[in-house]
Amino acid sequence: MPSPIRYAELEKEFASVEAALSSAVPPPPEERKRLAARHVELRPVVERLHRRTAVVAAKAEAQALAAGPDPEIAALAREELASLDAELASLEAALRRDLLPKDPDSDKNVYLELRGGAGGDESALFAADLMRMYVRYAESRGWKASVVELSRTGLKGVKQGTLLVAGAGAYGWLKFEGGVHRVQRVPETE
């Protein structure tokens, strides 16, 4: 688990970024853009830190109640402790992920190229299915997917297609999508 000192540094940095963004004298446009990007990056981390602090306080209170004289309240407190332990473990795992170094290219846009391989019309139909899947996936993540190039076959298949996927984190999520995809099924062409 990262140290509380690191958590305090992040909270201090977030406060200074917020102060700079809301100051009476706005920073220059390039600096404001950099500060806004850092604010977006730090906000969920700091919210998790605040939630972690609240869970630790609730856990201490539940431990005190679990050791109390009333058996009913102690039983409820023990149940509460179990759920707080699970939530605390989940928060700490998320914080460890948040503190990993970020790929500087993660927020860049992606060109995604699809080609129907060996298999004729059936592979072209599968490539069309993949293209629709990637477009819908991009839309579900809030990205914009636009067709840059498209070469169709006679049965609504895709011989070759290129998508431009634009949005925050697009490259970070799609950078490992590569290689040959293979499907075996009863072909629509038969």
Side-chain angles (χ1 to χ4, degrees):
M1 185 176 101
S3 70
I5 295 170
R6 177 74 174 125
Y7 292 157
E9 290 171 0
L10 286 172
E11 288 180 322
K12 184 178 178 182
E13 181 184 0
F14 183 71
S16 70
V17 166
E18 276 196 328
L21 285 172
S22 64
S23 69
V25 179
E30 288 299 316
E31 178 69 9
R32 185 175 40 229
K33 183 178 178 181
R34 186 191 67 76
L35 287 171
R38 187 65 179 152
H39 185 270
V40 166
E41 185 180 333
L42 285 175
R43 184 180 196 88
V45 177
V46 170
E47 287 173 355
R48 279 191 194 91
L49 286 174
H50 291 159
R51 180 63 191 151
R52 181 187 176 277
T53 303
V55 168
V56 167
K59 186 177 171 184
E61 186 178 315
Q63 286 172 336
L65 289 173
D70 189 352
E72 287 181 21
I73 292 179
L76 290 173
R78 282 190 293 277
E79 288 177 20
E80 181 71 15
L81 271 173
S83 69
L84 289 173
D85 283 337
E87 184 177 0
L88 187 60
S90 170
L91 284 169
E92 287 177 352
L95 285 168
R96 276 193 299 275
R97 260 191 327 272
D98 289 340
L99 296 178
L100 288 173
K102 305 279 189 268
D103 181 358
D105 295 330
S106 284
D107 286 333
K108 293 188 175 180
N109 300 334
V110 171
Y111 282 101
L112 188 68
E113 185 177 348
L114 299 162
R115 293 175 187 242
D121 287 338
E122 184 60 28
S123 68
L125 290 171
F126 181 59
D129 289 344
L130 280 178
M131 184 170 257
R132 278 191 299 277
M133 184 224 28
Y134 279 116
V135 168
R136 288 184 180 148
Y137 178 71
E139 290 170 354
S140 74
R141 305 241 358 138
W143 303 328
K144 184 180 179 201
S146 55
V147 177
V148 176
E149 180 183 347
L150 185 62
S151 174
R152 290 199 171 272
T153 63
L155 295 172
K156 296 184 182 177
V158 171
K159 189 183 298 183
Q160 179 179 344
T162 305
L163 293 173
L164 171 62
V165 181
Y171 179 75
W173 282 92
L174 296 173
K175 65 183 170 185
F176 299 111
E177 292 294 313
V180 177
H181 295 337
R182 179 173 179 263
V183 66
Q184 270 190 279
R185 60 183 178 179
V186 176
E188 291 180 26
T189 56
E190 291 182 7

